[in-house]
Amino acid sequence: MITNGAVALRRLTLPGYRGPLLLAALLAVLAVRPDGVLHSEVAVTGAIGGMIGSALVMVPPMALVMLPVAFPFLLVGVLVVGATVTKPFTWPHRPGTSALLGLALGCAAVILGLSVPGEDYAFLGVGGFTLVGLPLAWLLWHQWPVARDGANPAGRWRWAVAPLLVAATVLTATQTDPTEARFALARPALTDWAEHALATGTADPDWVAGYLLTETELADGGAKFAIGGGGLFGDHGYVYFPPGTTPPASRYYHSLGDGWYGWDDSDHF
């Protein structure tokens, strides 16, 4: 078992298996520099991709309406493509280690993107493009002779991994609140940071419990900060008010309990 795992890891260094490593490197850069230029560019690209995807959701109903008119053209297209394609479609082998690892990274990127206040569109974009593009790339890859002649990876369990990963991601995103769960884990460390900032009268940007705290300030008797990477057109973050402090009335604050409040600026263009 250990030998098979070592062989699978060595394959990742070979040509054709470097995709997951490049994807992991991209996610690492986005995580380390949530306030960097690359993160901003990827976030905007992800937001545009999300809007295009939302628009495509309306295509099937419209296609059904136009089907009687478009049917002759579709028939001609199918006949032309069928006449030009000489090689039959090749049923792909079981998913390899690189494909499964890439899928796992895509699922993890989606969950991480949802775990930040205001959502991290860079992670959501990378995760979404991976989950959409990887199956198509996997099917196309198996139409090449080098892939058709390759060995079929061992283990029928490989067929079950992809749907299980996607199902777990969907359930996590829809049945839980990743933002709330991540904040609950980071709350003790964030409370220590906030109390130290209030005691010393200084609130400097810092990394705390996996969050990059930006726009840090002491305001209205509390410690307020934004989360790096959260939101696209407005800041999102948290504010802590110590016991005995009355927070100001604001429609941008929502209570999280124990003196903590979430806040956000209205996203705007």
Side-chain angles (χ1 to χ4, degrees), residues 45-229:
T45 303
I48 295 174
M51 289 187 289
I52 294 175
S54 299
L56 291 178
V57 173
M58 300 301 298
V59 171
M62 295 175 61
L64 291 177
V65 175
M66 298 298 297
L67 184 60
V69 177
F71 181 77
F73 299 97
L74 293 175
L75 181 61
V76 172
V78 170
L79 294 176
V80 171
V81 172
T84 55
V85 175
T86 58
K87 295 182 179 180
F89 176 80
T90 301
W91 184 255
H93 297 316
R94 300 184 186 104
T97 302
S98 59
L100 295 180
L101 183 56
L103 183 64
L105 290 172
C107 292
V110 171
I111 299 302
L112 287 174
L114 295 174
S115 70
V116 177
E119 301 181 351
D120 190 324
Y121 286 87
F123 276 89
L124 289 177
V126 172
F129 284 127
T130 301
L131 296 182
V132 173
L134 184 59
L136 179 61
W138 178 65
L139 291 174
L140 293 177
W141 163 251
H142 281 85
Q143 307 314 307
W144 290 81
V146 64
R148 290 198 296 265
D149 298 336
N152 195 358
R156 294 184 178 180
W157 54 267
R158 292 175 177 271
W159 290 115
V161 174
L164 287 176
L165 281 174
V166 174
T169 302
V170 172
L171 288 175
T172 301
T174 57
Q175 302 302 317
T176 66
D177 188 342
T179 302
E180 181 178 336
R182 183 174 177 180
F183 175 74
L185 293 174
R187 185 196 293 260
L190 292 174
T191 301
D192 291 341
W193 177 90
E195 290 180 345
H196 180 268
L198 291 170
T200 60
T202 58
D204 298 323
D206 195 5
W207 280 95
V208 179
Y211 289 120
L212 175 60
L213 311 188
T214 64
E215 305 296 331
T216 55
E217 62 176 334
L218 301 178
D220 301 319
K224 181 180 178 182
F225 55 86
I227 299 296

